[in-house]
mmCIF file of all heavy atoms in Angstrom:
data_model
loop_
_atom_site.group_PDB
_atom_site.id
_atom_site.type_symbol
_atom_site.label_atom_id
_atom_site.label_comp_id
_atom_site.label_asym_id
_atom_site.label_seq_id
_atom_site.Cartn_x
_atom_site.Cartn_y
_atom_site.Cartn_z
ATOM 1 N N LEU A 449 -96.208 62.232 95.119
ATOM 2 C CA LEU A 449 -96.143 62.101 96.580
ATOM 3 C C LEU A 449 -94.724 62.387 97.079
ATOM 4 O O LEU A 449 -93.747 61.870 96.533
ATOM 5 C CB LEU A 449 -96.568 60.680 96.981
ATOM 6 C CG LEU A 449 -96.525 60.371 98.472
ATOM 7 C CD1 LEU A 449 -97.548 61.203 99.220
ATOM 8 C CD2 LEU A 449 -96.769 58.885 98.708
ATOM 9 N N ARG A 450 -94.632 63.219 98.111
ATOM 10 C CA ARG A 450 -93.333 63.549 98.710
ATOM 11 C C ARG A 450 -93.454 63.504 100.213
ATOM 12 O O ARG A 450 -94.437 63.964 100.770
ATOM 13 C CB ARG A 450 -92.891 64.959 98.301
ATOM 14 C CG ARG A 450 -92.521 65.049 96.833
ATOM 15 C CD ARG A 450 -92.333 66.491 96.454
ATOM 16 N NE ARG A 450 -91.499 67.184 97.436
ATOM 17 C CZ ARG A 450 -90.976 68.373 97.230
ATOM 18 N NH1 ARG A 450 -91.191 68.998 96.103
ATOM 19 N NH2 ARG A 450 -90.255 68.963 98.173
ATOM 20 N N GLU A 452 -91.146 64.495 103.707
ATOM 21 C CA GLU A 452 -89.931 65.207 104.111
ATOM 22 C C GLU A 452 -89.886 65.339 105.622
ATOM 23 O O GLU A 452 -90.937 65.493 106.265
ATOM 24 C CB GLU A 452 -89.916 66.619 103.529
ATOM 25 C CG GLU A 452 -89.854 66.652 102.022
ATOM 26 C CD GLU A 452 -90.480 67.914 101.451
ATOM 27 O OE1 GLU A 452 -91.567 68.299 101.920
ATOM 28 O OE2 GLU A 452 -89.891 68.504 100.543
ATOM 29 N N LEU A 461 -93.282 64.179 110.155
ATOM 30 C CA LEU A 461 -92.951 64.109 108.736
ATOM 31 C C LEU A 461 -93.974 64.953 107.996
ATOM 32 O O LEU A 461 -95.169 64.908 108.290
ATOM 33 C CB LEU A 461 -93.025 62.659 108.227
ATOM 34 C CG LEU A 461 -91.908 61.724 108.662
ATOM 35 C CD1 LEU A 461 -92.222 60.297 108.209
ATOM 36 C CD2 LEU A 461 -90.573 62.176 108.082
ATOM 37 N N HIS A 462 -93.504 65.706 107.044
ATOM 38 C CA HIS A 462 -94.411 66.494 106.211
ATOM 39 C C HIS A 462 -94.620 65.752 104.895
ATOM 40 O O HIS A 462 -93.663 65.413 104.198
ATOM 41 C CB HIS A 462 -93.827 67.889 105.955
ATOM 42 C CG HIS A 462 -94.725 68.738 105.125
ATOM 43 N ND1 HIS A 462 -94.567 68.874 103.772
ATOM 44 C CD2 HIS A 462 -95.813 69.472 105.464
ATOM 45 C CE1 HIS A 462 -95.517 69.681 103.313
ATOM 46 N NE2 HIS A 462 -96.286 70.053 104.320
ATOM 47 N N VAL A 463 -95.880 65.461 104.585
ATOM 48 C CA VAL A 463 -96.202 64.683 103.387
ATOM 49 C C VAL A 463 -97.082 65.531 102.484
ATOM 50 O O VAL A 463 -98.028 66.174 102.951
ATOM 51 C CB VAL A 463 -96.933 63.373 103.753
ATOM 52 C CG1 VAL A 463 -97.130 62.509 102.524
ATOM 53 C CG2 VAL A 463 -96.152 62.614 104.825
ATOM 54 N N SER A 464 -96.762 65.560 101.194
ATOM 55 C CA SER A 464 -97.596 66.323 100.249
ATOM 56 C C SER A 464 -97.758 65.523 98.966
ATOM 57 O O SER A 464 -96.963 64.638 98.656
ATOM 58 C CB SER A 464 -96.968 67.684 99.974
ATOM 59 O OG SER A 464 -95.696 67.508 99.390
ATOM 60 N N TRP A 465 -98.815 65.845 98.235
ATOM 61 C CA TRP A 465 -99.110 65.129 96.990
ATOM 62 C C TRP A 465 -99.962 66.027 96.114
ATOM 63 O O TRP A 465 -100.315 67.146 96.492
ATOM 64 C CB TRP A 465 -99.830 63.808 97.295
ATOM 65 C CG TRP A 465 -101.076 63.979 98.095
ATOM 66 C CD1 TRP A 465 -102.332 64.159 97.602
ATOM 67 C CD2 TRP A 465 -101.194 64.001 99.517
ATOM 68 N NE1 TRP A 465 -103.219 64.295 98.628
ATOM 69 C CE2 TRP A 465 -102.552 64.202 99.805
ATOM 70 C CE3 TRP A 465 -100.290 63.883 100.568
ATOM 71 C CZ2 TRP A 465 -103.029 64.278 101.125
ATOM 72 C CZ3 TRP A 465 -100.768 63.960 101.878
ATOM 73 C CH2 TRP A 465 -102.122 64.147 102.136
ATOM 74 N N GLU A 466 -100.317 65.511 94.937
ATOM 75 C CA GLU A 466 -101.139 66.288 94.012
ATOM 76 C C GLU A 466 -102.340 65.472 93.569
ATOM 77 O O GLU A 466 -102.317 64.244 93.623
ATOM 78 C CB GLU A 466 -100.326 66.659 92.765
ATOM 79 C CG GLU A 466 -99.298 67.744 93.018
ATOM 80 C CD GLU A 466 -98.142 67.648 92.038
ATOM 81 O OE1 GLU A 466 -98.326 67.059 90.967
ATOM 82 O OE2 GLU A 466 -97.055 68.136 92.384
ATOM 83 N N PHE A 481 -108.670 62.393 100.715
ATOM 84 C CA PHE A 481 -107.520 61.509 100.658
ATOM 85 C C PHE A 481 -107.369 60.735 101.961
ATOM 86 O O PHE A 481 -107.836 61.158 103.013
ATOM 87 C CB PHE A 481 -106.236 62.318 100.411
ATOM 88 C CG PHE A 481 -106.319 63.156 99.172
ATOM 89 C CD1 PHE A 481 -106.719 64.489 99.243
ATOM 90 C CD2 PHE A 481 -106.030 62.614 97.938
ATOM 91 C CE1 PHE A 481 -106.813 65.256 98.102
ATOM 92 C CE2 PHE A 481 -106.117 63.381 96.785
ATOM 93 C CZ PHE A 481 -106.515 64.705 96.874
ATOM 94 N N LEU A 483 -104.077 58.829 103.980
ATOM 95 C CA LEU A 483 -102.631 58.694 103.979
ATOM 96 C C LEU A 483 -102.298 57.519 104.882
ATOM 97 O O LEU A 483 -102.823 57.432 106.002
ATOM 98 C CB LEU A 483 -102.044 59.987 104.543
ATOM 99 C CG LEU A 483 -100.542 60.090 104.713
ATOM 100 C CD1 LEU A 483 -99.872 60.149 103.355
ATOM 101 C CD2 LEU A 483 -100.229 61.355 105.511
ATOM 102 N N VAL A 496 -104.522 58.207 108.185
ATOM 103 C CA VAL A 496 -105.247 59.451 108.477
ATOM 104 C C VAL A 496 -105.959 59.903 107.213
ATOM 105 O O VAL A 496 -105.488 59.675 106.107
ATOM 106 C CB VAL A 496 -104.319 60.595 108.968
ATOM 107 C CG1 VAL A 496 -103.875 60.356 110.379
ATOM 108 C CG2 VAL A 496 -103.144 60.782 108.044
ATOM 109 N N GLU A 497 -107.126 60.515 107.415
ATOM 110 C CA GLU A 497 -107.863 61.055 106.268
ATOM 111 C C GLU A 497 -107.800 62.562 106.273
ATOM 112 O O GLU A 497 -107.743 63.180 107.337
ATOM 113 C CB GLU A 497 -109.318 60.590 106.317
ATOM 114 C CG GLU A 497 -109.467 59.126 105.984
ATOM 115 C CD GLU A 497 -110.887 58.754 105.626
ATOM 116 O OE1 GLU A 497 -111.649 59.630 105.177
ATOM 117 O OE2 GLU A 497 -111.231 57.576 105.816
ATOM 118 N N THR A 498 -107.813 63.138 105.088
ATOM 119 C CA THR A 498 -107.758 64.594 104.989
ATOM 120 C C THR A 498 -108.341 65.036 103.654
ATOM 121 O O THR A 498 -108.367 64.270 102.696
ATOM 122 C CB THR A 498 -106.302 65.089 105.111
ATOM 123 O OG1 THR A 498 -106.295 66.501 104.934
ATOM 124 C CG2 THR A 498 -105.420 64.452 104.056
ATOM 125 N N ALA A 499 -108.810 66.273 103.621
ATOM 126 C CA ALA A 499 -109.280 66.842 102.358
ATOM 127 C C ALA A 499 -108.175 67.665 101.706
ATOM 128 O O ALA A 499 -108.334 68.140 100.595
ATOM 129 C CB ALA A 499 -110.502 67.721 102.602
ATOM 130 N N ASN A 500 -107.053 67.826 102.408
ATOM 131 C CA ASN A 500 -105.953 68.638 101.888
ATOM 132 C C ASN A 500 -104.993 67.807 101.056
ATOM 133 O O ASN A 500 -105.084 66.584 101.043
ATOM 134 C CB ASN A 500 -105.174 69.255 103.058
ATOM 135 C CG ASN A 500 -106.085 70.106 103.917
ATOM 136 O OD1 ASN A 500 -106.969 70.782 103.407
ATOM 137 N ND2 ASN A 500 -105.887 70.014 105.224
ATOM 138 N N VAL A 501 -104.089 68.503 100.411
ATOM 139 C CA VAL A 501 -103.076 67.796 99.632
ATOM 140 C C VAL A 501 -101.734 67.789 100.364
ATOM 141 O O VAL A 501 -100.687 67.631 99.746
ATOM 142 C CB VAL A 501 -102.924 68.382 98.212
ATOM 143 C CG1 VAL A 501 -104.146 68.047 97.383
ATOM 144 C CG2 VAL A 501 -102.690 69.870 98.276
ATOM 145 N N SER A 502 -101.807 67.949 101.674
ATOM 146 C CA SER A 502 -100.604 67.751 102.478
ATOM 147 C C SER A 502 -101.047 67.417 103.902
ATOM 148 O O SER A 502 -102.196 67.676 104.280
ATOM 149 C CB SER A 502 -99.722 69.002 102.484
ATOM 150 O OG SER A 502 -100.379 70.033 103.180
ATOM 151 N N GLU A 503 -100.117 66.838 104.644
ATOM 152 C CA GLU A 503 -100.468 66.420 105.997
ATOM 153 C C GLU A 503 -99.172 66.302 106.785
ATOM 154 O O GLU A 503 -98.142 65.954 106.217
ATOM 155 C CB GLU A 503 -101.178 65.052 105.937
ATOM 156 C CG GLU A 503 -101.662 64.497 107.239
ATOM 157 C CD GLU A 503 -102.866 65.244 107.803
ATOM 158 O OE1 GLU A 503 -103.575 65.913 107.019
ATOM 159 O OE2 GLU A 503 -103.087 65.192 109.024
ATOM 160 N N VAL A 504 -99.227 66.641 108.069
ATOM 161 C CA VAL A 504 -98.058 66.458 108.913
ATOM 162 C C VAL A 504 -98.319 65.265 109.831
ATOM 163 O O VAL A 504 -99.287 65.255 110.588
ATOM 164 C CB VAL A 504 -97.769 67.719 109.742
ATOM 165 C CG1 VAL A 504 -96.620 67.445 110.710
ATOM 166 C CG2 VAL A 504 -97.427 68.884 108.833
ATOM 167 N N ILE A 505 -97.474 64.277 109.699
ATOM 168 C CA ILE A 505 -97.536 63.127 110.599
ATOM 169 C C ILE A 505 -96.857 63.545 111.899
ATOM 170 O O ILE A 505 -95.730 64.035 111.876
ATOM 171 C CB ILE A 505 -96.828 61.915 109.966
ATOM 172 C CG1 ILE A 505 -97.546 61.480 108.704
ATOM 173 C CG2 ILE A 505 -96.727 60.770 110.970
ATOM 174 C CD1 ILE A 505 -96.776 60.457 107.885
ATOM 175 N N VAL A 518 -100.591 57.300 99.554
ATOM 176 C CA VAL A 518 -101.828 58.069 99.653
ATOM 177 C C VAL A 518 -102.804 57.545 98.602
ATOM 178 O O VAL A 518 -102.404 57.036 97.553
ATOM 179 C CB VAL A 518 -101.534 59.582 99.484
ATOM 180 C CG1 VAL A 518 -101.038 59.890 98.100
ATOM 181 C CG2 VAL A 518 -102.738 60.420 99.832
#
Side-chain angles (χ1 to χ4, degrees):
L449 179 66
R450 290 170 47 167
E452 296 153 316
L461 287 173
H462 181 263
V463 186
S464 61
W465 56 91
E466 287 154 22
F481 304 94
L483 177 69
V496 286
E497 288 197 25
T498 177
N500 301 323
V501 289
S502 68
E503 182 72 22
V504 175
I505 296 170
V518 66

